[in-house]
Amino acid sequence: MSGVFTSEGDAMADLAQSTVDAATDADGQVQARDEAGMRSRGFVGVVLLLVLIAMWLAGWYSGTDAQQMFSLTIWGVMLGGIIALGGIGLTLCYGVLKFPNFAHGELVTLGAYAAYSIVLVIPNSLPIWHFSFGWDLMAGLLVALFVTAGVSILLDRVLYRPLRHRQSPLVLLAMASLGMAFFLRGLIYIFWGSDFHFFYVGRANPALDLPLGLRLQADQLFVFALALVLVVLLYWLLTRTRIGKAMRATADNPDLAQVRGINTEQVIAWAWAIGSAMAAAGGVMYGLASQLRPDMGFTLLLPMFAAVIMGGIGNPWGALVGAIIIGIAIQLTSAFMSPAYGPAVAFVLMVLTLLMRPQGIFVQR
């Protein structure tokens, strides 16, 4: 009797195992089909390209001539450079700390105002080449990088590190960052007021005549070049230096990194410093392209998150590409709808990407 039960049990176990294997194979086939089809990087890229083309045609159909639409496209690339500077810092902090830092937008604002304070103190220098700014803004940018990095490390020591040591849930860290965003914005209101400010008042910023009838300000070229250089430097740091490898190890498995002798707290401090410095650079460039106001970083926060999620969290190149796509979309839609809807455009593109490829364009899993 027992032998019968044993035989039947073995048969049922084999059947169950076969069912599990079949289900696993089926899941694998579905996943492989999805990876090769609707969820592939190429498919998502084609869909996003078609969306941008549709926006381009909608702007042209609304009455904007082709030359102006081409200029909007190029300006979108420049706006993408600004979004990328903030977004790359955001993705770096998320990769190491594993929580969305909602105060990142205020770090963008703080960097811009720190540079503005230096420009006020230093006597205005003559413009460099065709730029609207001189060496005084370069000095302000340098100071802003260090000030914002120092403030972010201080905030980590005071707020985030105690929460980490208590093993607080990630949602609590995210809520703490949201509270810190309001606190920092309040300080900005107190120290610099609610009025708009400009780095330079009344200084000419002529456009350059480029091939194909394109007109661009030299400042816009500088913004995109700075974003590209900083992305290359960050990629080199993450892949070629000891601290970069320690960051990647900490991001993959903090406990294993500690066992291997990596000082994870030092790595986290570096992540805060680099991410905040990138945010400060983005804030200075955004203030140069438009004006300084206390909510400027908050306005950029949704496009930055959208760029990071679209490109793939933790991937700096993905953040750059996502930021350029969003920058172009925001500029193109301004041809047929109010520019105030720019953040909504970024949100729609982010949701569209998540529906097709939840891990982002440049992340495999």
Side-chain angles (χ1 to χ4, degrees), residues 41 43 45 68 80 120 155 169 196 221 249 278 287 301 330 341-342 357:
R41 184 185 303 171
F43 180 81
Q68 184 64 19
L120 288 181
L155 294 179
F196 290 8
L221 297 175
M278 299 283 281
L301 190 61
I330 290 176
Y341 294 113
R357 191 175 170 88

Side-chain angles (χ1 to χ4, degrees), residues 189-205:
Y189 272 110
I190 291 174
F191 285 106
W192 287 284
S194 59
D195 294 335
F196 290 8
H197 297 285
F198 295 89
F199 283 117
Y200 304 99
V201 178
R203 179 172 289 188
N205 189 14

Side-chain angles (χ1 to χ4, degrees), residues 219-253:
D219 290 359
Q220 293 174 310
L221 297 175
F222 177 81
V223 169
F224 186 71
L226 179 65
L228 200 58
V229 168
L230 290 180
V231 170
V232 172
L233 287 177
L234 181 62
Y235 182 78
W236 173 81
L237 182 142
L238 291 176
T239 56
R240 303 294 182 185
T241 65
R242 183 184 295 273
I243 187 65
K245 294 175 182 176
M247 283 184 183
R248 290 161 54 197
T250 305
D252 290 338
N253 192 327

Side-chain angles (χ1 to χ4, degrees), residues 83-129:
I83 298 174
L85 286 173
I88 290 169
L90 191 64
T91 194
L92 181 64
C93 290
Y94 187 92
V96 175
L97 299 168
K98 306 300 183 190
F99 78 93
N101 179 24
F102 292 112
H104 199 75
E106 270 54 43
L107 295 177
V108 171
T109 308
L110 180 63
Y113 276 90
Y116 172 70
S117 300
I118 298 301
V119 171
L120 288 181
V121 173
I122 299 178
N124 286 348
S125 59
L126 294 175
I128 305 171
W129 190 52

Side-chain angles (χ1 to χ4, degrees), residues 119-184:
V119 171
L120 288 181
V121 173
I122 299 178
N124 286 348
S125 59
L126 294 175
I128 305 171
W129 190 52
H130 292 287
F131 301 128
S132 67
F133 56 86
W135 293 110
D136 51 346
L137 184 69
M138 292 293 97
L141 173 62
L142 190 61
V143 171
L145 301 182
F146 285 100
V147 168
T148 312
V151 169
S152 64
I153 293 175
L154 176 63
L155 294 179
D156 179 67
R157 294 290 187 268
V158 173
L159 179 61
Y160 300 118
R161 186 162 73 173
L163 292 176
R164 284 199 306 273
H165 287 179
R166 294 172 189 168
Q167 297 184 341
S168 301
L170 295 180
V171 65
L172 186 58
L173 286 165
M175 291 300 102
S177 71
L178 182 62
M180 185 54 65
F182 289 112
F183 175 73
L184 288 177

